[in-house]
């Protein structure tokens, strides 16, 4: 019998340790140790038990008691339409994680996508105009004036997810963009590369800029100058949309490697490189960021920095629920670490 085939039946009632133990084929004592972090359980088994417990929606007695005392809130999630483009589904995945974490806390999410024009014109989202939500998570970068207006006129607590803005000191959850790209660039140096370019429109978003700064730190530490044309734009500053024809202009002195601000940009770059006769990674190496790419966009696995989407979503929900419950609560910027994932797009020279 498949260990997961009775999930729906179990989820229909309160999940107990014995339910998990039966599915995995171990004792309830082993399950208890695994979930409480005690010794005596292999890491492989601990991970298996934790994954199944999360899948089944298991809650410890203390967590159940705490959650029963919490109120149910409606949490708005605001995102720009450009971040939900056909191929740029990283933010859709992040929203799904946010929704899952909200439900686990007994809350509900309402998603509103807003046009770039509405952001530039400072049009308040309908979720706030119609007072539909108790708190708001802004997913993906917005303009400083727009953030300020939402904070001033929205009337609800706000948390920024996957970007930060120093305009009003909002609570924020971000990935480690600076360190991640720093680590990727260091890896390229360890593979013998020195002529390394950066792909991303610096200043377009905080994350693109932070990733550029991580790249720049590595270049400086290795004593390498960065020619002006080694910083390549990838998207329009007004619309935020990537444009393979208008941007992605190669430097005169062709680099041996490129650091891209995200995997989608890396896939576009690889397409252009291959169209011009370059082989990846034999002739040119490429790294990305996020470890998330729409299937079919690239034939080669892109070495990248994986963002811990699940943990970022968990932290964002934790923050917004705390802020709704206590107006004086604030915790500043929380940085979630990820890790480099080695694939097939880098070669040693």
């Amino acid at each position: 019998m498949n260990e997961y085939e009775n999930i729906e039946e179990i989820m229909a009632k309160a999940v107990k340790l014995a339910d998990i133990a039966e599915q995995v084929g171990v004792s309830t004592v082993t399950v208890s140790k695994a979930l409480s972090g005690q010794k005596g359980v292999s890491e492989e088994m601990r991970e298996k038990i934790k994954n199944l417990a999360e899948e089944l929606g298991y809650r410890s007695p203390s967590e159940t008691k705490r959650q029963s005392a919490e109120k149910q809130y409606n949490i708005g999630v605001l995102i720009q339409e450009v971040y939900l483009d056909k191929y740029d589904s990283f933010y859709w995945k992040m929203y799904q994680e946010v929704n899952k974490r909200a439900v686990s806390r007994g809350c509900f999410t309402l998603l509103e996508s807003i046009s770039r024009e509405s952001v530039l014109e400072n049009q308040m989202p309908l979720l706030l105009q119609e007072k539909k939500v108790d708190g708001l998570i802004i997913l993906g970068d917005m303009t400083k004036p727009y953030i300020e207006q939402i904070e001033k006129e929205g009337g609800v607590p706000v948390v920024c997810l996957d970007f930060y803005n120093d305009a009003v000191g909002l609570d924020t959850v971000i990935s480690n963009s600076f360190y991640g790209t720093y680590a990727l660039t260091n890896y390229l140096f360890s593979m013998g590369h020195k002529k390394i370019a950066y792909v991303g429109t610096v200043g377009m978003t905080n994350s693109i800029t932070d990733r550029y700064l991580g790249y720049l730190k590595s270049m400086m530490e290795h004593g390498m100058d960065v020619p002006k044309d080694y910083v390549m734009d990838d998207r329009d500053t007004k619309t935020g949309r990537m444009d393979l024809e208008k941007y992605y202009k190669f430097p005169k002195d062709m680099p041996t490697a490129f650091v891209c601000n995200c995997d989608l940009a890396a896939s576009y770059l690889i397409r252009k490189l291959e169209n011009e006769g370059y082989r990846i990674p034999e002739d040119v190496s490429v790294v990305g960021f996020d470890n998330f790419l729409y299937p079919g966009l690239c034939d080669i696995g892109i070495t990248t920095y994986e963002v811990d989407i699940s943990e970022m979503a968990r932290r964002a929900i934790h923050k917004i629920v705390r802020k709704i419950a206590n107006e004086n609560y604030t915790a500043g910027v929380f940085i979630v670490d990820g890790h480099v994932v080695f694939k097939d797009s880098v070669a040693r020279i």
Side-chain angles (χ1 to χ4, degrees):
M1 180 175 65
N2 187 293
E3 61 183 342
Y4 296 110
E5 67 181 6
N6 289 327
I7 284 179
E8 292 185 359
E9 294 179 12
I10 293 176
M11 290 183 71
K13 59 182 180 180
V15 180
K16 301 178 181 178
L17 291 180
D19 298 320
I20 300 172
E22 181 180 355
Q23 291 285 318
V24 180
V26 296
S27 68
T28 55
V29 173
T30 299
V31 173
S32 178
K33 286 183 177 180
L35 295 179
S36 60
Q38 298 180 46
K39 296 180 180 180
V41 184
S42 69
E43 285 306 311
E44 182 180 357
M45 179 57 69
R46 187 188 306 277
E47 189 68 19
K48 185 176 182 180
I49 291 171
K50 289 174 68 177
N51 288 340
L52 181 59
E54 182 175 348
E55 185 73 24
L56 296 176
Y58 170 76
R59 297 182 182 87
S60 66
S62 60
E63 184 180 7
T64 301
K65 182 178 180 180
R66 173 182 60 79
Q67 289 183 355
S68 65
E70 291 180 346
K71 294 181 179 179
Q72 293 183 334
Y73 299 119
N74 289 329
I75 299 172
V77 180
L78 184 65
I79 184 171
Q80 288 193 71
E81 290 175 351
V82 67
Y83 297 142
L84 294 177
D85 275 354
K86 179 179 179 181
Y87 297 126
D88 198 3
S89 53
F90 172 78
Y91 280 114
W92 178 246
K93 173 64 174 177
M94 185 167 284
Y95 167 69
Q96 290 177 314
E97 287 293 328
V98 167
N99 181 63
K100 183 171 74 173
R101 295 294 178 175
V103 170
S104 72
R105 297 289 293 264
C107 299
F108 303 93
T109 61
L110 291 84
L111 175 67
E112 180 177 346
S113 63
I114 188 169
S115 69
R116 180 68 176 174
E117 291 75 18
S118 296
V119 172
L120 295 175
E121 294 171 5
N122 289 341
Q123 295 181 11
M124 291 291 284
L126 291 176
L127 287 174
L128 298 183
Q129 289 184 40
E130 299 180 3
K131 303 184 184 305
K132 296 289 188 182
V133 295
D134 302 299
L136 184 70
I137 294 175
I138 302 177
L139 178 52
D141 213 344
M142 303 276 184
T143 65
K144 185 173 181 178
Y146 193 62
I147 299 295
E148 289 177 329
Q149 180 167 321
I150 286 179
E151 174 67 6
K152 182 180 179 180
E153 301 179 11
V156 299
V158 178
V159 168
C160 301
L161 179 56
D162 201 45
F163 81 102
Y164 64 90
N165 192 298
D166 60 1
V168 286
L170 291 174
D171 265 7
T172 300
V173 179
I174 57 174
S175 61
N176 204 335
S177 291
F178 180 87
Y179 173 77
T181 311
Y182 173 70
L184 285 166
T185 311
N186 283 343
Y187 169 63
L188 290 174
F189 275 109
S190 75
M191 296 294 281
H193 296 275
K194 295 181 178 180
K195 296 163 60 176
I196 306 171
Y198 180 78
V199 180
T201 302
V202 178
M204 177 63 199
T205 68
N206 284 313
S207 61
I208 291 176
T209 303
D210 285 351
R211 291 166 194 178
Y212 164 70
L213 293 173
Y215 152 83
L216 191 61
K217 173 179 170 65
S218 178
M219 295 290 282
M220 291 174 61
E221 288 183 350
H222 287 87
M224 301 300 298
D225 292 328
V226 179
K228 186 175 181 179
D229 60 358
Y230 264 42
V231 182
M232 299 164 51
D233 289 339
D234 69 335
R235 67 192 70 197
D236 187 274
T237 55
K238 291 185 178 180
T239 66
R241 298 184 186 280
M242 295 183 184
D243 191 326
L244 190 58
E245 299 300 323
K246 186 176 181 181
Y247 303 109
Y248 295 88
K249 304 299 183 183
F250 293 140
K252 293 180 180 179
D253 182 16
M254 190 64 180
T256 63
F258 292 86
V259 176
C260 299
N261 73 90
C262 65
D263 290 345
L264 183 62
S267 72
Y268 276 42
L269 177 72
I270 289 172
R271 186 191 311 173
K272 182 164 185 177
L273 286 166
E274 291 177 339
N275 287 342
E276 297 197 12
Y278 292 97
R279 298 170 301 162
I280 314 300
E282 292 84 357
D283 301 324
V284 179
S285 293
V286 177
V287 297
F289 203 102
D290 292 334
N291 195 29
F292 192 91
L293 190 62
Y294 192 88
L297 276 185
C298 192
D299 294 332
I300 188 171
I302 300 172
T303 293
T304 185
Y305 186 82
E306 181 171 338
V307 172
D308 192 340
I309 296 177
S310 179
E311 179 62 12
M312 290 178 68
R314 188 183 74 82
R315 289 285 178 177
I317 290 297
H318 175 75
K319 280 178 174 285
I320 196 65
V321 169
R322 290 285 302 277
K323 287 176 73 68
I324 293 170
N326 177 5
E327 293 181 0
N328 296 320
Y329 168 80
T330 183
V333 177
F334 191 92
I335 301 174
V336 177
D337 286 326
H339 62 278
V340 176
V341 178
F342 303 99
K343 297 185 183 179
D344 309 314
S345 60
V346 175
R348 184 180 297 278
I349 63 172

